[in-house]
Amino acid sequence: MEDNPVTREEMIDRLRKAMSDSSTEDVDWDSVTEATEIGSLGFDSLSILDLIYEIQREFKIKFAAEEIVKVRTVGHLLDFLQARV
Amino acid sequence: MSSPLLTLRHRAEFAVFHAVLRAIDRMPVDRALAMASRIGDIVYALDFYRRGVAKRNIRLSGIAAGRAETVRIARASFRSFAQLAVESLKADDYFRSGRWREMVDLQIDPAADEALKAPGRGAILAGGHIGNWEIASRVLATFKPVVGITKNMNNPLTDRLVKDRRARENFTMTPKRDADAGRLLEVLNRGHVLGLLVDQHARSAYGEPIRFFGRHVSMHKSAALLHLVSGAPLILGCCVRTGNMKFLVRAYPPVNIPRSGDKNTDVRALMLELNSKLEDMVREFPEQYLWAHRRWRPLRPALLAKIEKLGPGA
């Protein structure tokens, strides 16, 4: 039996959760789309670490933390994650 | 220089600061250090506020047997800070000429030594405001490039001068706040050492309530989180003064705690371990700790709620 592939919409929902768990900013996470710039979500040098930890936990994947910090938009982050899930 | 933001006060401060630096540069070491001790005594006598903070912190830590001991440690701490400034300036010659081993004894744990010298492998060196953390960074920078975190000074003129004096080969500074959120991870990715002072009060929402000498402080999570997400070894170290221009640089074994899989549990365990080792250092060298820093400040309601939620063992 084949595994059901995770849809992009499911992934963005899980990503929104990981982001809201790690951010201390007051953001309307439902309005976050693939075009949203990650830099506009208020992550700083510490909360980005929280986010990386949450992503590694949520998607059960390991990657070198520095690979993710140059990703600019939520859509690019989804691409990054889809290639590894 | 013509910025309207530069006030007369900035310029006056800069002029005095610059003159003092030049005087120290020209003075023989022993004389400069004797002057530093006197300045430490004068500041201790005149700065009621910081003297009070230092004495209160020493009392709260429980390391002094009584009032006389508290006063002795507090005064020595002020002298130590003044000596730090002078010795950091005077150390330039030793490092530039490669003679730094004449003034430094190394006591580096073998596993820490391997981690700090491994080519291409980043490491996190955590320390506290004890002894001479400037010399510690420069010794480390002889192993591999070191990046420290700095906060801008209020006076832009003195800030520029201090940064120019601090900028040296293999030792660079990155601002405490910066738009590039990933820069700390990039430091580790480049195989450099990231130096962090972990005993500062955390004002932001990222402070974690951790006990230091039995009382809760708001502590930065950076070192622990960086270690968890990057896997870079986390090493605690210090550089203490053993005489005029003589130092002992010590690095402890890399912090190694069993992982629970829960971020908050693991972050707290790492922070407790760092604080516990830092307490040991302070007990061993209490006169060289910066007691005038307000470590035990009133905690924000969110942190008090967290302590209550964590229960009596927190």
Side-chain angles (χ1 to χ4, degrees):
Chain A
M1 194 172 144
E2 281 184 19
D3 287 341
N4 286 331
V6 183
T7 68
R8 206 150 164 102
E9 199 47 47
E10 284 170 345
M11 285 190 75
I12 198 168
D13 279 345
R14 289 162 68 185
L15 194 52
R16 284 193 191 107
K17 183 181 178 307
M19 286 177 158
S20 66
D21 285 349
S22 48
S23 173
T24 55
E25 295 293 310
D26 190 15
V27 172
D28 176 9
W29 295 102
D30 290 334
S31 70
V32 170
T33 67
E34 291 201 25
T36 305
E37 292 271 345
I38 292 172
S40 72
L41 299 173
F43 288 101
D44 59 23
S45 58
L46 193 51
S47 54
I48 200 81
L49 301 176
D50 262 318
L51 175 62
I52 292 166
Y53 188 98
E54 292 299 335
I55 288 173
Q56 288 179 339
R57 190 185 56 82
E58 176 65 31
F59 294 93
K60 296 185 174 52
I61 52 172
K62 282 282 175 192
F63 51 86
E66 59 277 3
E67 287 181 66
I68 212 171
V69 295
K70 291 298 177 195
V71 172
R72 293 293 167 215
T73 67
V74 172
H76 291 149
L77 182 52
L78 283 173
D79 294 340
F80 174 89
L81 294 174
Q82 254 185 334
R84 287 162 177 78
V85 173
Chain B
M1 287 288 191
S2 58
S3 166
L5 296 174
L6 292 178
T7 64
L8 195 60
R9 186 181 163 193
H10 284 149
R11 291 167 199 275
E13 276 176 2
F14 173 77
V16 172
F17 189 67
H18 192 243
V20 170
L21 284 189
R22 284 177 65 91
I24 291 171
D25 283 341
R26 289 171 181 177
M27 223 178 263
V29 170
D30 288 345
R31 202 171 139 211
L33 284 170
M35 185 189 77
S37 288
R38 281 197 295 276
I39 290 173
D41 285 345
I42 291 167
V43 175
Y44 179 81
L46 299 180
D47 191 338
F48 296 103
Y49 175 72
R50 293 204 183 279
R51 186 176 72 205
V53 170
K55 283 160 69 173
R56 178 174 180 272
N57 283 347
I58 294 165
R59 275 198 303 272
L60 288 175
S61 74
I63 62 159
R67 191 179 171 280
E69 179 73 348
T70 301
V71 169
R72 185 190 67 76
I73 293 171
R75 180 174 286 153
S77 165
F78 276 65
R79 283 183 181 172
S80 173
F81 189 65
Q83 287 166 335
L84 173 154
V86 167
E87 289 182 326
S88 300
L89 292 168
K90 290 292 185 189
D92 272 352
D93 289 342
Y94 288 84
F95 284 100
R96 267 201 296 262
S97 62
R99 292 184 298 118
W100 64 271
R101 284 304 310 263
E102 290 174 17
M103 62 173 186
V104 175
D105 281 326
L106 294 176
Q107 207 174 76
I108 312 279
D109 167 79
D113 190 61
E114 193 184 331
L116 290 170
K117 290 178 179 168
R121 188 179 175 203
I124 305 158
L125 186 81
H129 287 86
I130 186 163
N132 193 320
W133 49 93
E134 296 278 338
I135 300 276
S137 306
R138 299 194 64 182
V139 169
L140 201 60
T142 64
F143 300 165
K144 61 168 64 171
V146 176
V147 177
I149 294 182
T150 184
K151 195 171 135 187
N152 289 340
M153 298 170 83
N154 291 332
N155 185 331
L157 295 171
T158 49
D159 185 60
R160 197 182 313 145
L161 181 61
V162 169
K163 281 178 181 157
D164 285 348
R165 292 286 300 238
R166 277 173 131 182
R168 291 161 187 125
E169 197 182 350
N170 264 8
F171 179 51
T172 52
M173 304 298 289
T174 187
K176 193 170 182 180
R177 299 201 186 283
D178 189 283
D180 181 4
R183 69 194 190 288
L184 302 184
L185 286 165
E186 282 174 3
V187 168
L188 299 173
N189 188 40
R190 286 199 298 266
H192 297 177
V193 174
L194 181 66
L196 295 171
L197 292 170
V198 296
D199 60 344
Q200 287 172 311
H201 174 80
R203 288 173 192 270
S204 70
Y206 290 106
E208 180 73 16
I210 300 286
R211 286 182 191 273
F212 185 57
F213 285 103
R215 292 170 188 271
H216 286 105
V217 293
S218 177
M219 184 177 174
H220 284 286
K221 294 194 286 189
S222 338
L225 257 177
L226 269 166
H227 170 64
L228 281 180
V229 302
S230 72
L234 174 58
I235 298 158
L236 195 75
C238 66
C239 168
V240 289
R241 200 170 182 271
T242 53
N244 282 4
M245 292 306 288
K246 295 285 179 194
F247 305 94
L248 170 67
V249 171
R250 193 184 273 178
Y252 294 83
V255 176
N256 188 13
I257 57 146
R259 298 286 170 86
S260 73
D262 176 75
K263 179 180 69 178
N264 292 331
T265 304
D266 290 348
V267 164
R268 284 189 62 80
L270 287 163
M271 293 167 82
L272 279 166
E273 179 68 8
L274 288 177
N275 259 4
S276 164
K277 288 223 171 79
L278 185 59
E279 284 176 20
D280 291 344
M281 289 181 200
V282 175
R283 283 194 185 93
E284 194 175 348
F285 306 102
E287 299 86 0
Q288 297 192 42
Y289 191 58
L290 184 63
W291 291 105
H293 171 61
R294 287 180 62 218
R295 190 85 207 273
W296 289 285
R297 300 185 201 195
L299 297 179
R300 290 179 293 110
L303 290 190
L304 294 173
K306 191 163 193 175
I307 293 168
E308 200 170 323
K309 193 176 162 193
L310 288 165

